[in-house]
Amino acid sequence: MMVKQHMLFTLYSICGIVLKDILAVSVAATKNKLRGAQGQFPIVQNMTVTEGGIVNLTCRVEHNDNTSLQWSNPAQQTLFFGDKKALRDNRIELVRATSQELTISISEVTLADEGMYTCSLFTMPVKTAKAFLTVLGMPKKPEINGLTKPVMEGDQITLTCVTSGSKPAADVRWFKNEKEVKGAKEVNASGKTFTVKSSLQLQVNRHDDGVAYTCRVDHMALTATHEETTQVLEVHYAPYVEIKHSIPAPLEGQYLKLECVPHGNPSPDPVLWTKDGGELPDLDRVIVEGRELTFMALNKTDNGTYRCEATNHLGTSHAEYKLVVKDAPTTSSPSTTSPAPTLPDTTGPLDSKHLNSAVTGNRGTVQPHCPSSFSS
């Protein structure tokens, strides 16, 4: 009897230990599960997209036990619950849905899509993460106002460059033939976008004729290039004239060309040549072709003051050239005749010096003449 009781006690003890271990394992597993759920948080990222573009919103969890993920828009409307679409918007599509990730895409993004998007992990309690979607407004091509063609020399004009639709406000710069010049900038808000205006004041002169003024717009939405508009100034001004000559010091018999070069807008054409206030003489020898006056062979009768005159509807101008023809240099050839030899005078008395000398000429040696009274 005693042995039987002892066996029963041992059996109950063993079963109690096993049951206790089972309960401990179960409690530990439950605690681990709760701890794992409490340690899970959705992971999201802020995004930036240009108006009209497409953007992906991704929500991830590292370890999920099949708990559902959900995306909501800034108005707290559910977009997707797992792989189930909740909002009727054809621009919003599912990209990927798993127990650890929910990615959706929004196409043809508008400025109204900007805001805070929420990813929810439906644990107990629900855990959320927020991602801000920034939408960039694309600036429109700039327009330049205030330019009329043509502009008269001396006028003061104001060029104004305007671009709208940018978000944030665009940067507007002026260039004069690719060299940057400073303008006065003004920024105005219009809803979520901005209108940017830049003004440039100019005192126009003849050197501005043909100058290109460019308004350039830079913005973070213009990643690869920039928007710009160019206007070229057309300045009308009275003429001025200069005369160019082909040789610096004209000589008699030389060829000479005088060219009348007028500058003005509109171009002053044709030009008028005169000499000493009157008409050109001897047109057979002096040739007039357009703006050129040509002397085929100069002589001193060509001397005088030549005048070129040019006119357009804004005025008249002239230039003068004083022609002085100089003598051509003369060169004399050297003489080849040898001077004749000088003979001694034989009419006077001779001294010993004359008797002992010989004079050499072109015909050989000449002996001195001896009077007959001298003996040999």
Side-chain angles (χ1 to χ4, degrees):
M1 183 68 179
M2 292 293 294
V3 173
K4 190 174 184 179
Q5 289 179 348
H6 178 72
M7 292 178 62
L8 288 173
F9 177 79
T10 302
L11 180 61
Y12 289 147
S13 298
I14 294 173
C15 290
I17 292 174
V18 172
L19 181 61
K20 182 179 180 181
D21 290 341
I22 292 174
L23 290 174
V25 171
S26 177
V27 169
T30 302
K31 287 182 178 180
N32 288 336
K33 183 176 181 181
L34 292 174
R35 189 181 297 114
Q38 291 175 355
Q40 293 183 40
F41 285 94
I43 301 171
V44 296
Q45 184 178 1
N46 294 335
M47 300 298 293
T48 299
V49 63
T50 301
E51 183 180 12
I54 183 171
V55 63
N56 286 355
L57 299 177
T58 299
C59 180
R60 291 189 179 91
V61 290
E62 292 184 357
H63 305 287
N64 195 1
D65 54 354
N66 293 325
T67 304
S68 297
L69 292 170
Q70 173 186 289
W71 269 114
S72 303
N73 64 12
Q76 294 304 310
Q77 297 173 310
T78 300
L79 303 179
F80 269 88
F81 183 80
D83 60 355
K84 303 297 189 296
K85 188 172 184 177
L87 185 67
R88 292 184 178 180
D89 189 336
N90 293 332
R91 300 177 306 125
I92 303 174
E93 298 291 341
L94 178 66
V95 177
R96 181 178 176 85
T98 67
S99 61
Q100 294 180 319
E101 179 185 333
L102 178 59
T103 299
I104 64 174
S105 70
I106 305 174
S107 60
E108 300 177 10
V109 176
T110 67
L111 295 176
D113 293 323
E114 183 174 87
M116 194 73 75
Y117 288 74
T118 304
C119 176
S120 302
L121 176 65
F122 283 88
T123 56
M124 292 298 292
V126 176
K127 296 181 178 64
T128 61
K130 296 184 180 296
F132 195 88
L133 177 62
T134 301
V135 181
L136 302 178
M138 182 76 72
K140 291 183 172 59
K141 187 176 181 66
E143 296 180 357
I144 297 178
N145 303 317
L147 179 62
T148 56
K149 294 184 179 182
V151 181
M152 300 301 163
E153 184 177 28
D155 286 354
Q156 183 169 337
I157 62 174
T158 300
L159 301 181
T160 303
C161 177
V162 180
T163 179
S164 60
S166 61
K167 177 181 172 295
D171 184 30
V172 177
R173 296 186 293 163
W174 282 102
F175 292 85
K176 177 183 178 180
N177 285 346
E178 298 301 325
K179 181 179 181 181
E180 187 169 359
V181 291
K182 188 174 180 59
K185 186 177 178 181
E186 178 183 340
V187 179
N188 296 307
S190 177
K192 290 187 176 184
T193 62
F194 296 88
T195 298
V196 184
K197 182 188 301 183
S198 182
S199 299
L200 194 63
Q201 289 190 345
L202 304 173
Q203 184 75 37
V204 178
N205 59 50
R206 63 187 58 197
H207 302 296
D208 291 316
D209 186 37
V211 171
Y213 281 90
T214 299
C215 175
R216 183 175 299 173
V217 174
D218 294 306
H219 193 266
M220 61 179 64
L222 302 170
T223 55
T225 182
H226 47 253
E227 291 283 2
E228 66 180 30
T229 300
T230 300
Q231 290 281 2
V232 178
L233 266 61
E234 180 185 352
V235 182
H236 279 192
Y237 55 94
Y240 69 95
V241 179
E242 59 179 329
I243 296 177
K244 296 181 179 180
H245 45 85
S246 60
I247 53 177
L251 301 177
E252 196 168 11
Q254 283 187 325
Y255 170 91
L256 173 66
K257 177 187 289 186
L258 301 180
E259 182 182 3
C260 179
V261 184
H263 305 272
N265 193 11
S267 178
D269 200 30
V271 299
L272 176 64
W273 282 102
T274 59
K275 177 187 178 184
D276 297 329
E279 295 182 356
L280 295 174
D282 197 1
L283 293 180
D284 292 335
R285 196 173 53 82
V286 180
I287 302 173
V288 178
E289 290 182 345
R291 299 175 178 179
E292 295 179 351
L293 181 63
T294 304
F295 300 84
M296 302 307 295
L298 289 170
N299 61 49
K300 292 188 176 181
T301 63
D302 296 322
N303 289 346
T305 300
Y306 292 83
R307 174 171 171 154
C308 170
E309 186 175 285
T311 302
N312 65 13
H313 72 278
L314 296 175
T316 299
S317 179
H318 69 271
E320 293 182 344
Y321 174 79
K322 187 174 183 179
L323 175 60
V324 177
V325 180
K326 297 182 179 181
D327 293 330
T330 58
T331 57
S332 58
S333 58
S335 176
T336 58
T337 304
S338 300
T342 303
L343 298 177
D345 187 4
T346 59
T347 61
L350 299 176
D351 54 19
S352 60
K353 182 177 180 181
H354 285 92
L355 293 173
N356 297 325
S357 64
V359 179
T360 303
N362 290 338
R363 295 186 179 182
T365 301
V366 178
Q367 298 295 335
H369 174 70
C370 297
S372 61
S373 58
F374 283 87
S375 62
S376 62

